[in-house]
Amino acid sequence: QVQLLESGGGLVQPGGSLALTCAASGDSFSDYGTAWFRQAPGKAREIVAAIDANSERLYNALFVQGRFKISRDNFKRTMYLAMNRLQAADTAVYYCAARRGRYSLALDQYDIWGQGTQVTVSA
């Protein structure tokens, strides 16, 4: 199976941008549907966006509101999350996740997780 490693988190002011990267190693990345989740302090982990292996099918949570863009490059074995117009409510640990086959919106359908990267939006 694949292993996942996130990077790109950090501290940003409200209205700013960040680009998260999820690098995969191990098994064939193109066999997996992938997603970004996030977990804010004291809250449940929630899905942010998901993308199928061939990038033909995407999902974005309602709170994304056109501010974030998920993408992936199977040749580079990498998934991305471009985040713009960040708000304090976006502060959370962001995780990438993978499962064989199509992506799922359900957290418990993913058996492969990265270690997470902290995103903090604050003035």
Side-chain angles (χ1 to χ4, degrees):
Q1 64 180 21
V2 298
Q3 294 81 47
L4 304 174
L5 181 64
E6 305 95 335
S7 62
L11 173 64
V12 63
Q13 292 186 342
S17 300
L18 278 176
L20 303 185
T21 297
C22 175
S25 60
D27 204 353
S28 175
F29 185 57
S30 59
D31 290 341
Y32 293 80
T34 51
W36 288 98
F37 287 79
R38 71 183 187 183
Q39 188 166 18
K43 295 188 176 181
R45 193 170 297 189
E46 62 180 354
I47 191 165
V48 176
I51 186 169
D52 263 340
N54 58 11
S55 300
E56 290 185 352
R57 204 167 66 107
L58 305 175
Y59 168 82
N60 289 294
L62 287 177
F63 61 78
V64 168
Q65 295 178 329
R67 301 179 298 127
F68 299 174
K69 179 181 179 182
I70 188 172
S71 61
R72 60 187 283 167
D73 184 331
N74 288 343
F75 182 74
K76 294 182 178 179
R77 303 165 64 85
T78 304
M79 178 176 65
Y80 307 95
L81 185 68
M83 303 188 294
N84 299 299
R85 304 198 307 275
L86 283 161
Q87 307 164 358
D90 296 316
T91 295
V93 178
Y94 284 70
Y95 298 90
C96 61
R99 67 185 300 270
R100 284 192 178 273
R102 306 191 100 177
Y103 72 71
S104 170
L105 304 186
L107 182 151
D108 62 3
Q109 293 298 306
Y110 289 87
D111 53 349
I112 302 168
W113 292 84
Q115 86 292 343
T117 186
Q118 176 70 47
V119 171
T120 302
V121 185
S122 175

